[in-house]
Amino acid sequence: MGALGVLLTYPMNPYLEEELDKRFKLFRLWESPNKKDFLRSNSASIRAVVGNSNVGADAETIDALPRLEIVSSYSVGLDKVDLKKCKEKGVRVTNTPDVLTEDVADIAIGLALAVMRRIPQADGYVRAGNWKATGDFRLTTRFSGKTVGIVGLGRIGMAIAKRAAAFGCPISYYSRTEKPETNFKYHPTIIELASNCNVLVVACPLTEETHHIVNRDVMDALGPKGVLVNIGRGSHVDEPELVKALVEGRLGGAGLDVYEEEPHVPEELFGLENVVLLPHVGSGTLETRKVMADLVLGNLEAHVQNKPLLTPVV
């Protein structure tokens, strides 16, 4: 097993990195100032890539590694992996589905609550001594009972719906196809969904079709009392248009865990009280990250042992 050369594209999880170093021959891409030279000099040894939602395996990386056999992604989303190129080259691909569903759904509800009840602002109000000095904090808007629209009713979308329903929220959704196994209201377009909900949650995979799926028209349909929550990928939302909609008051608020150019966040958002910003921590619990790491390791071990992969995608 130690003969398998594994390229780790980005510093991710200490436990994962330690275990990769113990079990395989580990190459850390970020330690080299020149990516192309690093890949060229180690291409004969690298047979596996471990990436995540920041740095995966693009076409250039795959082409630079002629002995590449498997890409084991430390994420559920695969938008940073060139799946077409992997299929062409016969490279196997795995991810970490299911295990992060609950944590991401928790964060989605938490963001909606934080935006509508102004939880970060209320916390700051107390810490600054304003409660004692100037009296009660201003009134906010309830989340319970509001209509929640979900873009993408997959594993995570369903988990969000389950939680929102517990708050007495009517659930509606938009996806590529209607889900007959649910009783939730289906809307055939995202514009129609946004026009008929109070909180719009983005939970679909990032593809060419869903890039900027939340554009100016969707934001205007959601309106000045509507709240956008994005726990999918930053590029689901047209970020410049989001900034404009919030600054101009055409959108009521936003709770964001993901951004188009992470870790860069538009500075115009920093001063807005109707926005809650998180540093892409949807799956960021000790419990989930350990299970995700074990899935990555298990897939690599299965590959080396010629056993069925645990979570195959390609």
Side-chain angles (χ1 to χ4, degrees):
M1 191 179 301
L4 181 72
V6 177
L7 176 71
L8 189 61
T9 64
Y10 192 85
M12 302 174 197
N13 175 277
Y15 165 75
L16 175 60
E17 189 172 339
E18 289 170 11
E19 290 300 314
L20 287 171
D21 212 9
K22 287 178 186 176
R23 307 183 197 192
F24 309 103
K25 184 178 181 182
L26 185 60
F27 298 86
R28 297 171 174 85
L29 181 61
W30 68 92
E31 290 184 348
S32 173
N34 190 304
K35 172 184 172 182
K36 290 183 179 179
D37 289 345
F38 182 85
L39 293 177
R40 188 182 304 113
S41 61
N42 294 290
S43 61
S45 301
I46 295 171
R47 294 161 48 205
V49 169
V50 173
N52 66 358
S53 58
N54 291 301
V55 183
D58 57 15
E60 182 181 4
T61 300
I62 296 166
D63 284 335
L65 301 173
R67 298 191 66 201
L68 183 63
E69 300 169 7
I70 183 171
V71 175
S72 188
S73 186
Y74 183 66
S75 66
V76 64
L78 292 167
D79 47 286
K80 294 298 175 69
V81 178
D82 192 321
L83 296 178
K84 182 179 179 181
K85 177 70 71 171
C86 286
K87 290 175 183 177
E88 290 175 359
K89 297 276 189 177
V91 175
R92 303 301 307 275
V93 179
T94 66
N95 64 346
T96 59
D98 297 323
V99 297
L100 48 69
T101 298
E102 305 303 324
D103 284 347
V104 175
D106 288 349
I107 281 289
I109 298 300
L111 280 168
L113 286 166
V115 173
M116 298 175 79
R117 297 304 307 272
R118 298 291 196 264
I119 292 174
Q121 291 76 22
D123 175 86
Y125 189 83
V126 174
R127 292 174 187 270
N130 292 330
W131 189 19
K132 182 178 180 180
T134 61
D136 291 343
F137 189 67
R138 66 185 182 279
L139 299 180
T140 58
T141 301
R142 71 166 54 168
F143 172 69
S144 295
K146 294 295 193 293
T147 299
V148 174
I150 301 172
V151 183
L153 204 64
R155 296 182 184 95
I156 294 174
M158 282 296 296
I160 293 168
K162 178 181 177 181
R163 285 158 173 75
F167 282 84
C169 297
I171 308 298
S172 55
Y173 70 99
Y174 163 74
S175 63
R176 288 177 297 178
T177 57
E178 190 170 356
K179 311 290 184 182
E181 68 276 13
T182 75
N183 294 320
F184 305 138
K185 182 173 178 55
Y186 174 70
H187 290 282
T189 69
I190 189 173
I191 293 287
E192 185 177 307
L193 176 66
S195 299
N196 289 279
C197 69
N198 306 113
V199 181
L200 185 69
V201 184
V202 183
C204 57
L206 180 61
T207 64
E208 290 183 8
E209 292 75 23
T210 62
H211 181 269
H212 284 188
I213 190 171
V214 179
N215 55 24
R216 182 186 178 103
D217 291 341
V218 173
M219 296 173 208
D220 286 345
L222 189 54
K225 293 185 178 179
V227 171
L228 174 68
V229 173
N230 189 10
I231 47 79
R233 287 289 185 266
S235 293
H236 281 130
V237 177
D238 186 330
E239 213 163 72
E241 287 296 338
L242 175 63
V243 171
K244 290 179 186 177
L246 289 165
V247 170
E248 295 169 7
R250 290 183 287 107
L251 182 64
L256 308 173
D257 186 42
V258 289
Y259 311 88
E260 288 212 67
E261 300 293 338
E262 295 178 4
H264 303 290
V265 179
E267 292 186 4
E268 298 96 324
L269 299 177
F270 294 168
L272 301 179
E273 287 204 350
N274 57 342
V275 178
V276 175
L277 307 170
L278 298 182
H280 201 157
V281 294
S283 64
T285 65
L286 294 170
E287 296 88 348
T288 289
R289 293 294 172 87
K290 170 69 163 54
V291 178
M292 288 171 63
D294 286 336
L295 259 183
V296 170
L297 296 165
N299 277 309
L300 292 175
E301 290 180 345
H303 175 73
V304 169
Q305 297 167 8
N306 291 316
K307 294 181 177 179
L309 300 177
L310 303 180
T311 55
V313 177
V314 174

